[in-house]
Each structure stands twice: as structure tokens, then as C-alpha cells.
Amino acid sequence: MTFALVACDMAGTTIDEHGSVYRALADAVQEVAGTRPSDAQVQEWMGADKVEAITGLMIAVGAEPALELVERGFNHFKSLLGSYYAELPPIALPGVEEALATLRGRGVKIALTTGFSRDVAEPLLASLGWVVASADETVDAGEARLVLDAVVCSDEVASGRPAPFMIHRAMERTGVQDVRTVLAAGDTVNDLLAATQAGVTAVGVLTGKLGRAELSAHPHDHILDGVKDLPALFS
């Protein structure tokens, strides 16, 4: 197939952050709601905007998602995530940097979409040595571990996944107009739903918490072991 743009999720898809997002979400909700959400409840919100996730998880555990509590929960989530990342720094998933660099070398635009807000995503990308092309003229892209064409965060669109807006914003930023030439990859159900609603090729990857059977139960075009296998779809 021929694709002009590949848009990948971050945590669990391109980045191994050791489950810190799950832990921080559960801890933050417990702090403001008084009840800890189950692993299954947290999984339902993985890939989504984190403010929306905290709101939804508070409702799930029977708490009233008052605006001030959601805001406090989100700030606590960011603080916890930063400390967890300091304890156990995120790393690129095996083969991701090589696969995406290979595709970009063939002229494919590479974007990341994330349920993180910009203030969470940027330090994470910086710690990995991943930079956006021409986003900062002081950055020497030649020294970067991975060069990207765009990064879209959930606080930059009207609604996060499963809405399709981040994928469409990535298309806007990279100048790609035809959804038939776009592939979106992710490790959660919300990633697949967003790709399907965006009208692009939906690829599930098995580097997150969900297995093949769980992802295959939802609309998709391909299920791969990981982003490392994406170049095989371009034959």
C-alpha cells in the first residue's frame, strides 16, 4: 500500500513508559474521588484525553466530577506521572525508531498523536531525543534519535480519542488531504475507534495491555506485533 502519513499513538505504541500512565491515572482518581478505579475501568480510558479520562473515571467510581476536583485530579496526575517517569524513565519500544525513520526516509510523513496535554508530551519527547522537524530552529535534527513531522496533543483539539480530530489535525499539519493515504496505529480500543471514525487505515499493535483477541473485536485493518512491523505494510 501507499501511504503519505503515519500517525502513531505515544504511550504503549511507540514508547514504553512502564505502565506509569495507568498507575498515575488510578492514583489521581483515588486521591480526588476517594475510591480507586479498577484496572478494567482505567483501560477503557486509555488513549483518551486525560482530563476526559479523569472525569469519566470519577463517574465510574460513583464520584461527582465537579470541575475543581477534576482540575485537582489532573494536576495531581501530571505531578505523579513526572515522578514516576523520573523513577523509571520511558524508552522507545523496540524497533520503533528504526521503523519510523525508514518510512520517513521514503517520504512518508510521521506524526504522533497523544492523550497527553502539550506540557506533558514535550518533556517526554525531549527525554527520548525525538524532535519535530523545523519546530525549533535551534535543534540540530541530525543529532535527534527520531525526527517527526508533527505531534498533536489532546488539549489542542475539541475532543480527544475516540474522536477523530487528532488524526485530522495531524493531516492538516503535514499537508496530507486524502484520508485514504493515512495510517493510524495504536495499542488501545480508543486508538482503533479514532482511526475508524477518521476514515483512515486502522492498525492495532500488541505492545500495550491488550492482546490480539481484544483488539480484533473492534473495527480494524491490521493487527501487528508492534510499530516495528509497519514498513512491511508498505511493500
Side-chain angles (χ1 to χ4, degrees), residues 12 15 48 56 81 123 141 205:
I15 300 169
L81 190 62
V205 295

Side-chain angles (χ1 to χ4, degrees), residues 101-162:
T102 293
L103 293 178
R104 193 167 188 271
R106 297 178 187 174
V108 180
K109 299 291 186 180
I110 304 297
L112 296 183
T113 61
T114 178
F116 293 148
S117 54
R118 177 64 62 175
D119 60 341
V120 175
E122 285 194 341
L124 175 56
L125 294 172
S127 73
L128 293 166
W130 294 4
V131 301
V132 178
S134 72
D136 183 347
E137 294 181 357
T138 67
V139 171
D140 181 359
E143 298 181 357
R145 291 185 59 88
L146 178 65
V147 178
L148 308 162
D149 295 289
V151 174
V152 180
C153 300
S154 60
D155 60 342
E156 299 169 341
V157 293
S159 183
R161 291 186 286 253

Side-chain angles (χ1 to χ4, degrees), residues 5 113 152 157 164-174 176 179 194-195 197-200:
L5 168 65
T113 61
V152 180
V157 293
F165 304 139
M166 287 198 292
I167 296 172
H168 290 159
R169 181 63 59 85
M171 292 176 62
E172 178 183 353
R173 289 184 177 172
T174 56
V176 176
V179 294
Q197 294 192 104
V200 306

Side-chain angles (χ1 to χ4, degrees), residues 7 55 62 79 90 94 106 118 120 191 207 220 233-235:
T55 301
S79 176
R106 297 178 187 174
R118 177 64 62 175
V120 175
D191 290 313
T207 46
H220 66 278
L233 299 181
F234 286 70
S235 56

